[in-house]
Amino acid sequence: MARKKALFVGINKFANYSQFTLNGCVNDAKDMAALYKELLGFKTTEMSVLTDAQATKANIMARLNTMVADAKAGKLNYLVFSLSSHGTQMNDSSGDEPDGKDEAFVPHDIAEKDGAWDPAHIISDDELHDLFVQLPANVLLEVYLDTCHSGTGLRGAEFGLHAPRARFIAPPEHEFGTKFASVRGFTLDRPAAGKKGAAVAEKAPIAGANHVLWTGCKADQTSADAYFSGRYNGAFTYYLIKVVRESQNKLSRKETVTKMRKLMKTGFAQSPQLEGNASNRAQAIVY
């Protein structure tokens, strides 16, 4: 029997940047919590939801650190983390990124310092990797990221007033020594370092053999903040929940993401991604 804990985060409003406001992220977090409670067997006491002002970097990382510590102590064997917010980039401080840029996630208290993102108020992929890599091998980690990983365009003119908006914030002008370019996506696998002179191996935000990563789009796409039947959601989160509920979670993870892609193909320029080992991909979300 799974001993489990989940953290669902959704951020529409950002303390220092009203121009970055989104519409569907808080709905995403609440809808994911409802899905896990009503269909996927979680109790209210096994879940936490952080939205807007609650979702500072300190609060998010404190909750995740507690979850990982409890898993290491043998108290938990299934962890779930979903994040709906903006994505961005920041300077790579560890030297593991070939392009010198860490992918990053935007908490409510995102802030700049000396013309770059303040590390105390942004969450880098390195931080998530270094935390989650501590999990014991028998702990299943499931992560959902409904954020943007690129600055490319969206379809959506047909939506008129409620056209989808990309969940991406360009870094401050002085974040990098060179002009901002495109953003990579996220992968579970860390490519091995090659011979001298080869690119440095990238550090994935989650990299364990028993970790499952869902992302809203490919590396060269955006994740949409979109309008569905009178309310906003992330397109990825909306269709994930739709497919899981309609199938009563009878589909495998792989079948779920395949159906999501088909449903999203007409209206959105994004293709959800699923990464993990073959066994986990062949099972439904809760094993």
Side-chain angles (χ1 to χ4, degrees):
M1 183 176 179
R3 302 180 304 281
K4 48 197 183 289
K5 196 77 173 179
L7 174 64
F8 305 108
V9 179
I11 311 166
N12 287 336
K13 298 178 181 179
F14 304 89
N16 303 307
Y17 301 93
S18 61
Q19 70 272 30
F20 293 161
T21 298
L22 293 166
N23 295 300
C25 297
V26 170
N27 285 341
D28 287 353
K30 293 179 178 179
D31 291 352
M32 287 293 288
L35 177 73
Y36 266 84
K37 180 179 180 180
E38 297 166 6
L39 189 64
L40 303 180
F42 274 58
K43 300 175 183 177
T44 301
T45 54
E46 296 171 329
M47 302 185 299
S48 297
V49 177
L50 295 178
T51 60
D52 286 342
Q54 300 170 323
T56 62
K57 175 179 179 174
N59 283 347
I60 294 169
M61 296 308 296
R63 299 293 181 97
L64 292 177
N65 272 282
T66 297
M67 289 164 63
V68 169
D70 285 347
K72 290 168 68 176
K75 299 177 183 178
L76 301 171
N77 60 11
Y78 181 36
L79 305 185
V80 179
F81 173 49
S82 78
L83 174 64
S84 290
S85 181
H86 279 297
T88 187
Q89 286 185 312
M90 61 186 295
N91 280 313
D92 170 27
S93 60
S94 59
D96 67 338
E97 302 283 1
D99 63 356
K101 304 176 178 71
D102 275 337
E103 277 64 61
F105 307 100
V106 177
H108 172 74
D109 57 329
I110 182 76
E112 296 180 37
K113 182 178 181 180
D114 299 326
W117 294 130
D118 184 346
H121 299 286
I122 194 167
I123 301 171
S124 73
D125 58 351
D126 280 359
E127 289 178 277
L128 292 184
H129 171 274
D130 291 348
L131 176 61
F132 292 142
V133 77
Q134 300 175 42
L135 288 170
N138 68 323
V139 175
L140 177 62
L141 171 69
E142 191 128 30
V143 174
Y144 304 89
L145 302 177
D146 200 344
T147 66
C148 279
H149 312 316
S150 72
T152 56
L154 279 174
R155 294 178 190 153
E158 67 271 28
F159 291 84
L161 177 65
H162 300 294
R165 179 181 179 186
R167 289 180 172 179
F168 178 76
I169 295 174
E173 184 177 355
H174 298 105
E175 181 67 63
F176 309 114
T178 57
K179 187 177 180 181
F180 169 69
S182 60
V183 185
R184 293 188 315 281
F186 297 95
T187 61
L188 282 165
D189 300 319
R190 294 180 65 182
K195 297 179 180 179
K196 185 176 181 180
V200 178
E202 296 178 16
K203 185 183 289 184
I206 61 175
N210 203 24
H211 298 175
V212 177
L213 175 65
W214 303 73
T215 64
C217 60
K218 292 182 179 180
D220 59 350
Q221 299 172 338
T222 53
S223 290
D225 195 65
Y227 189 76
F228 302 93
S229 302
R231 72 196 292 267
Y232 284 92
N233 279 103
F236 163 77
T237 300
Y238 175 86
Y239 283 103
L240 171 73
I241 292 172
K242 177 181 175 67
V243 171
V244 174
R245 283 194 179 277
E246 289 182 352
S247 70
Q248 290 295 292
N249 199 36
K250 300 301 183 184
L251 299 178
S252 69
R253 291 181 176 92
K254 183 177 180 180
E255 291 168 334
T256 295
V257 78
T258 297
K259 188 166 184 178
M260 289 170 62
R261 289 169 183 160
K262 290 179 180 178
L263 291 172
M264 296 172 69
K265 189 174 182 180
T266 300
F268 298 92
Q270 66 186 87
S271 179
Q273 302 298 295
L274 171 68
E275 299 188 39
N277 65 42
S279 177
N280 285 332
R281 285 186 284 112
Q283 296 178 42
I285 291 176
V286 175
Y287 62 102

